[in-house]
Amino acid sequence: MYCLYDIIDLGEYICERKRIDKKQYLQLSEVFENWYFKKLNEVEVDKNLSKPPKNMLKRLALSENEFYEKYINPYKNLSKQDLQTVFRVLAPELLETYIKDDSLPAGCELKLKYDLSSTRKENALSWLLFQVNLLGIFNLSKNLKKILFVPYHQCYYCGKPNFYIRNGEIKKFNLKEILCHKDKCQKSSNPEKHDNCCYAKWVRRRKSLEKALSVVDNLYNDIEIYENEKLSDEQKAILNNKLAKIFIDFCEKQYQENLKINYTIQESDNKAINLLKYSL
């Protein structure tokens, strides 16, 4: 039986072995970090607030309870139809006020927005961070390692937790059984022997990425060998940009795929949340 620290150490060991065995693209570490935090910030900007910011309460000289009593509760007590009417009256009043102050352009829309998708977007990014680390083609930065979660007894691709049913038999996820859970799959590392299961999908995506990166990477050697000279800074920049584009395209596509994952990453003492139960 493994304890939590054994699992973490084993997970790190597996990723480290993959890094040793695979071609490394160290320049992609910074590229990924920049892209990831930019994507995360975009999600944060669109998120709704669970409570009013402290600096706003201070500016208005209100406590949190007073803020709700004055600004929120009056709306909560209205019917949907009455609420729509209030907003239709409020919108032109606000526009007129802010246009006079030159703080709002004419024709600007004021919208009430509730973004239910932000939870899924954050979850998709959490899964992507783990999956990129699983690739083993570079080390994550310290900033990314701080927010990395390793799934515990869970499919690494679709997020299904704890167990699956295969040929009528209940099987528990463990450190070995993590990607393949379809009836018609054969025991093989060849994805073609699998019934388009999570294992097959992940291996195909990973191999396609590695092949695309290696094609560009081989150009480094080809130029130096056949032209018998070192790459110029301009040539290096062009090739590095190609590598970055290939990798970010992979991240974007995998992120979109991860938006379909209905479970959060679970740890040994923190069970996965089924997003569908919360209509997310």
Side-chain angles (χ1 to χ4, degrees):
M1 181 176 291
Y2 296 99
C3 70
L4 175 61
Y5 297 106
D6 293 331
I7 292 167
I8 292 174
D9 291 344
L10 184 56
E12 287 296 321
Y13 172 76
I14 292 171
C15 288
E16 186 58 35
R17 285 304 311 170
K18 288 187 175 184
R19 273 185 275 274
I20 292 172
D21 297 337
K22 289 184 177 180
K23 169 67 182 176
Q24 296 291 283
Y25 299 92
L26 304 182
Q27 66 270 49
L28 293 180
S29 180
E30 184 178 356
V31 170
F32 177 62
E33 180 181 11
N34 292 337
W35 175 87
Y36 191 88
F37 281 117
K38 181 182 178 182
K39 203 81 170 177
L40 198 58
N41 287 336
E42 288 173 358
V43 175
E44 289 292 329
V45 167
D46 284 339
K47 280 180 69 174
N48 292 97
L49 299 176
S50 58
K51 57 184 179 181
K54 291 181 179 179
N55 61 344
M56 180 181 179
L57 292 176
K58 184 177 180 180
R59 189 171 65 252
L60 296 174
L62 295 172
S63 67
E64 190 171 324
N65 288 336
E66 290 171 334
F67 174 85
Y68 276 94
E69 282 297 321
K70 186 173 183 178
Y71 295 110
I72 306 300
N73 292 341
Y75 291 105
K76 291 172 68 175
N77 295 326
L78 293 173
S79 67
K80 182 180 179 181
Q81 183 177 355
D82 288 341
L83 189 61
Q84 289 175 334
T85 301
V86 169
F87 285 149
R88 289 174 66 187
V89 174
L90 181 62
E93 292 285 339
L94 291 177
L95 282 172
E96 184 178 347
T97 300
Y98 289 116
I99 288 173
K100 287 179 181 178
D101 295 340
D102 293 327
S103 57
L104 196 69
C108 177
E109 279 190 305
L110 293 175
K111 292 184 178 180
L112 180 68
K113 178 181 178 183
Y114 188 69
D115 187 8
L116 287 172
S117 67
S118 60
T119 300
R120 276 199 175 269
K121 291 174 182 177
E122 287 180 328
N123 191 52
L125 285 172
S126 291
W127 277 104
L128 179 65
L129 181 58
F130 165 72
Q131 291 162 345
V132 167
N133 190 52
L134 194 64
L135 291 172
I137 58 175
F138 58 79
N139 289 313
L140 294 180
S141 68
K142 290 181 180 179
N143 290 329
L144 287 175
K145 279 188 175 181
K146 291 177 184 177
I147 56 175
L148 171 67
F149 293 97
V150 178
Y152 175 80
H153 291 185
Q154 193 172 13
C155 177
Y156 285 177
Y157 193 84
C158 74
K160 184 175 175 57
N162 305 321
F163 69 90
Y164 58 97
I165 298 175
R166 186 171 178 180
N167 294 317
E169 183 181 351
I170 294 178
K171 293 181 176 290
K172 292 184 178 181
F173 282 108
N174 53 54
L175 291 173
K176 292 182 179 179
E177 301 290 334
I178 49 177
L179 285 164
C180 176
H181 40 93
K182 276 196 173 183
D183 292 349
K184 296 180 181 179
C185 293
Q186 301 176 37
K187 287 187 176 180
S188 173
S189 60
N190 182 353
E192 303 309 317
K193 299 289 184 180
H194 291 255
D195 186 22
N196 198 33
C197 65
C198 292
Y199 171 81
K201 290 176 182 177
W202 174 247
V203 171
R204 287 176 185 139
R205 285 176 182 268
R206 175 176 58 77
K207 286 188 174 181
S208 294
L209 171 66
E210 291 172 350
K211 182 177 180 180
L213 291 175
S214 68
V215 168
V216 176
D217 187 60
N218 287 337
L219 290 175
Y220 280 86
N221 297 325
D222 290 345
I223 292 172
E224 290 185 350
I225 292 173
Y226 293 108
E227 295 187 12
N228 196 28
E229 61 181 34
K230 293 290 183 181
L231 287 170
S232 66
D233 290 341
E234 184 179 358
Q235 288 173 317
K236 287 180 181 178
I238 291 172
L239 293 176
N240 282 336
N241 286 338
K242 286 185 177 181
L243 288 173
K245 185 179 185 308
I246 289 169
F247 184 70
I248 295 305
D249 283 348
F250 165 84
C251 291
E252 290 282 3
K253 289 176 183 176
Q254 193 59 43
Y255 167 71
Q256 292 299 322
E257 186 69 24
N258 288 352
L259 288 172
K260 303 173 188 175
I261 297 178
N262 294 322
Y263 300 93
T264 60
I265 296 177
Q266 75 175 2
E267 300 169 275
S268 62
D269 58 348
N270 188 14
K271 299 301 181 183
I273 296 172
N274 186 343
L275 300 180
L276 293 178
K277 286 186 177 181
Y278 298 91
S279 300
L280 297 173

